[in-house]
Amino acid sequence: MFARLTIQVTLMAAIAAPLAAAPPKGAELNVIPRPAKVEVGEGTFELTGGTVLLAEGDARAEAEKLAAALRTATGFELPVRAKAKDGSAIRLQLDAALEAELGKEGYALAVEPAGVIIRAAAPAGLFYGGVTLRQLLPEFIFSDTVVKQVSLAVPEIGGHVRREPPRPVRWTIPCVRIADRPRFAWRGLLLDPARHFLPPADVKRMIDLIALHKLNSLQMHLTDDQGWRIEIRKYPLLTQVGSVRAESPRLGDRRKGDGKPYGPFFYTQAQVRELVAYAAERNVTIVPEIEMPGHFLAALSAFPHLSCTGGPFKPWTRWGISHDILCAGNDESVQFAQDVLAEVVELFPSRFIHIGGDEAPRDRWKACPKCQARMKAEGLASEAQLQTWFNSRIEKFLASKGRRMIGWDEILEGGLTPQAAVMSWRGTAGGLAAAGAGHDVVMSPTSHCYFDYAQSKAPGEPEAIGGLIPLARVYGFEPIPPGLPAERHKHILGAQGNLWSEYLHGRKDVEYFAFPRAAALAEAVWSPAGPRDFADFRARLAVHLRRLDQLDVNYRKETEE
Ligand code: ACM
Ligand code: ZN
């Protein structure tokens, strides 16, 4: 019993607010991302051992999830029922008629002293109403053990800290009315287990954090020159050979090797299915990325005859861009890519399948008789057009499986295939051109969305790939590229922050580089358009970071550069 009971200590005197009954003002709700519409009322609702959750039909599964999330820290029973008896209740209700106002992910939340009601057109909206409700509770709701008492630690002049006697926690929620819906449909982060693997448990933890910020898309960069990280049943050599590298660049001196064999590390198909299901329960879609024709060396190490030169190759022990790529003149290459994708679409229900497409140097294709013969036979004027030809095969194959192809903005270079969506990373020009031509686009420019770049140049920061993207820059990100005509805005599906992992060695690094920048991105993709006030965000973030403390997230503590 004792192990499950925690006395929480906080250094922030502001914790007095949730303990006292004073109703906070709108700005003090500290919900991140900022909801679209908030009206603050009088008084509070208090979650107690007598509270029940009420839900019927499809709302029930969401009520069960919310109850489970609230039970851990409160230790309350919080049963889910169809009908109310007496006592306080949190009601979850689906009403399809709300879709016009709230979309499929929006929700209306009303908190009154007598009860709470969350309404939405679809389960995703109920889920997000629940996320907001959890943020409205004292931050201890995010504890993974039961919290009965908290002890305030009040900073005093002279650097002393006075600790007040423990007081019982009161699980109060300020009375509010919130009507909220996301601005964009694609609100994403990218993880890169190809460079440094993240075990499934760490991916699940990231999915929880993604959901807490009302992000809904997780792109997994599963293959690259340095590693192939997904089991493909038809080609077991992909992981037998491709998931192991002899060593990695040395921490602190990337030009030298560290001498440590790395791998075998990969996700089995059973693990993938479990991750996909775990994500779906949290309204997160996992978008698989299988790089082709470039960043393909780990696969070529197992199947060198699919290259232009025949190899031999080994999974790369350096970072960078390999010149050896998939040979587009070899019919077997197209078949191989399709075989791999056939298994990928079976595993991932995502509407979009990401084929990479970036940083594919075309010099091997220039010197390859097969590639040149293909160009001649197909009447292609350039190697860039050969990449488009290759993409068109892949696009048709994915379409035959009911999926859409998305790729990095290099797929524009030889002309876009008809249905392709573009992820714009080299600035915004690619996104602007693609959306201007009526293609769907996700914005992920290196100017704002590369979360592998440093957050500060201050001493003591961990080694990063380079660059500098401070929190304030991310907060100021506007996903609609300047100059895009209004009638094309609908083609900007949203935005994504990328956690490329050459220099992110595992969970702790990923969390450090992701947070709090992902919280700023969440606001850029969820909250209504319009000027954003960084000072207001930082004030709310100060409270939000205490939630991340409860979750033991290794975020960057300093929120100024
Ligand atoms: C990329 O950063 N090469 C998409
Ligand atoms: Zn070739």
Side-chain angles (χ1 to χ4, degrees):
M1 183 63 200
F2 184 73
R4 298 217 355 111
L5 184 85
T6 307
I7 293 182
Q8 294 274 354
V9 173
T10 175
L11 272 166
M12 302 295 294
I15 174 60
L19 292 173
K25 306 259 184 313
E28 291 160 12
L29 289 180
N30 301 311
V31 173
I32 288 183
R34 185 169 60 79
K37 263 194 232 159
V38 177
E39 276 173 51
V40 179
E42 295 286 320
T44 59
F45 171 85
E46 185 167 355
L47 191 67
T48 68
T51 303
V52 298
L53 282 86
L54 296 175
E56 289 181 302
D58 290 345
R60 194 164 175 112
E62 293 304 324
E64 292 287 1
K65 284 183 222 169
L66 179 58
L70 298 174
R71 279 174 198 136
T72 309
T74 61
F76 299 151
E77 190 188 349
L78 303 174
V80 179
R81 302 216 174 104
K83 299 263 184 297
K85 294 182 195 152
D86 290 339
S88 80
I90 299 173
R91 183 187 297 272
L92 282 78
Q93 213 170 50
L94 283 171
D95 178 356
L98 291 169
E99 189 170 342
E101 188 195 337
L102 297 173
K104 283 205 189 303
E105 293 185 297
Y107 63 92
L109 167 67
V111 180
E112 293 180 358
V116 173
I117 179 160
I118 305 173
R119 296 190 311 138
L126 294 181
F127 177 76
Y128 287 136
V131 172
T132 296
L133 192 75
R134 288 161 67 204
Q135 291 198 6
L136 291 173
L137 280 155
E139 73 260 25
F140 310 110
I141 198 69
F142 293 99
S143 166
D144 66 357
T145 52
V146 176
V147 181
K148 292 287 184 207
Q149 309 186 78
V150 290
S151 169
L152 290 188
V154 183
E156 292 190 321
I157 296 162
H160 298 290
V161 173
R162 176 171 52 86
R163 191 146 292 158
E164 291 195 342
R167 294 158 62 182
V169 187
R170 291 186 55 197
W171 300 105
T172 54
I173 304 173
C175 289
V176 283
R177 280 178 185 275
I178 295 178
D180 198 13
R181 62 181 296 175
R183 181 175 169 209
F184 291 103
W186 188 306
R187 307 182 300 278
L189 287 184
L190 172 148
L191 292 177
D192 171 15
R195 271 57 172 265
H196 283 108
F197 188 66
L198 282 174
D202 293 348
V203 178
K204 285 185 182 171
R205 190 175 149 87
M206 275 306 286
I207 291 168
D208 284 333
L209 292 172
I210 284 169
L212 173 64
H213 293 85
K214 299 194 176 91
L215 299 172
N216 66 352
S217 180
L218 168 60
Q219 181 167 335
M220 292 194 69
H221 183 75
L222 292 165
T223 66
D224 211 303
D225 295 321
Q226 298 84 3
W228 186 281
R229 306 275 178 237
I230 177 168
E231 176 191 15
I232 299 296
R233 297 237 160 106
K234 182 156 189 181
Y235 300 114
L237 277 182
L238 277 173
T239 42
Q240 280 165 21
V241 172
S243 80
V244 188
R245 62 177 179 254
E247 61 175 352
S248 308
R250 188 184 297 180
L251 189 61
D253 187 356
R254 58 188 72 174
R255 293 161 308 171
K256 298 206 178 91
D258 67 0
K260 295 182 200 153
Y262 191 86
F265 295 129
F266 63 93
Y267 305 106
T268 65
Q269 294 204 350
Q271 287 171 331
V272 167
R273 286 183 203 282
E274 196 180 319
L275 287 174
V276 165
Y278 189 89
E281 277 184 20
R282 290 152 182 82
N283 197 45
V284 174
T285 300
I286 301 187
V287 179
E289 180 187 1
I290 306 292
E291 277 268 21
M292 58 188 75
H295 287 285
F296 206 70
L297 200 64
L300 295 180
S301 303
F303 298 98
H305 70 288
L306 300 178
S307 72
C308 292
T309 67
F313 310 105
K314 289 204 159 79
W316 242 18
T317 55
R318 288 170 283 147
W319 312 134
I321 302 167
S322 163
H323 283 249
D324 288 292
I325 67 173
L326 188 63
C327 175
N330 184 344
D331 287 333
E332 265 191 74
S333 298
V334 177
Q335 186 60 46
F336 180 86
Q338 293 183 352
D339 289 345
V340 168
L341 291 172
E343 293 193 28
V344 166
V345 299
E346 284 297 315
L347 292 168
F348 295 92
S350 167
R351 188 161 65 101
F352 286 96
I353 303 292
H354 204 298
I355 58 130
D358 59 318
E359 299 178 325
R362 301 184 187 114
D363 42 336
R364 295 287 189 268
W365 287 2
K366 267 200 171 70
C368 171
K370 284 189 200 155
C371 285
Q372 293 303 310
R374 171 86 73 209
M375 285 170 60
K376 200 153 171 228
E378 299 289 339
L380 306 171
S382 66
E383 286 73 23
Q385 287 186 11
L386 179 57
Q387 189 170 344
T388 295
W389 175 86
F390 175 81
N391 290 346
S392 72
R393 305 285 113 163
I394 301 301
E395 177 174 291
K396 283 202 185 94
F397 176 76
L398 290 174
S400 78
K401 306 278 184 190
R403 308 307 177 89
R404 287 188 59 196
M405 184 179 86
I406 184 166
W408 300 108
D409 57 55
E410 283 91 335
I411 67 170
L412 279 152
E413 288 172 2
L416 272 183
T417 52
Q419 302 299 321
V422 170
M423 200 167 260
S424 186
W425 73 281
R426 297 177 299 178
T428 55
L432 188 60
H439 290 261
D440 288 337
V441 167
V442 176
M443 297 304 293
S444 193
T446 50
S447 55
H448 295 79
C449 292
Y450 268 51
F451 292 174
D452 56 334
Y453 288 13
Q455 301 177 76
S456 162
K457 290 294 184 196
E461 288 295 309
E463 186 180 15
I465 197 161
L468 174 65
I469 302 189
L471 180 64
R473 171 103 59 85
V474 180
Y475 192 66
F477 179 48
E478 168 49 53
I480 302 284
L484 186 67
E487 72 274 14
R488 299 293 194 191
H489 286 190
K490 63 174 187 284
H491 290 299
I492 303 298
L493 302 182
Q496 178 171 290
N498 298 331
L499 291 152
W500 299 111
S501 290
E502 287 95 331
Y503 298 91
L504 277 46
H505 294 252
R507 171 177 82 76
K508 291 229 155 191
D509 288 346
V510 169
E511 289 179 4
Y512 186 86
F513 281 80
F515 298 104
R517 288 186 291 196
L521 177 73
E523 206 133 306
V525 289
W526 178 283
S527 304
R532 283 188 283 272
D533 177 348
F534 185 59
D536 164 70
F537 173 70
R538 277 188 78 213
R540 283 180 291 123
L541 186 63
V543 174
H544 187 67
L545 293 180
R546 303 211 302 261
R547 298 177 191 129
L548 300 189
D549 284 331
Q550 292 296 315
L551 294 163
D552 197 24
V553 177
N554 185 40
Y555 61 86
R556 182 173 187 264
K557 302 279 182 292
E558 193 49 65
T559 57
E560 281 193 321
E561 200 185 328

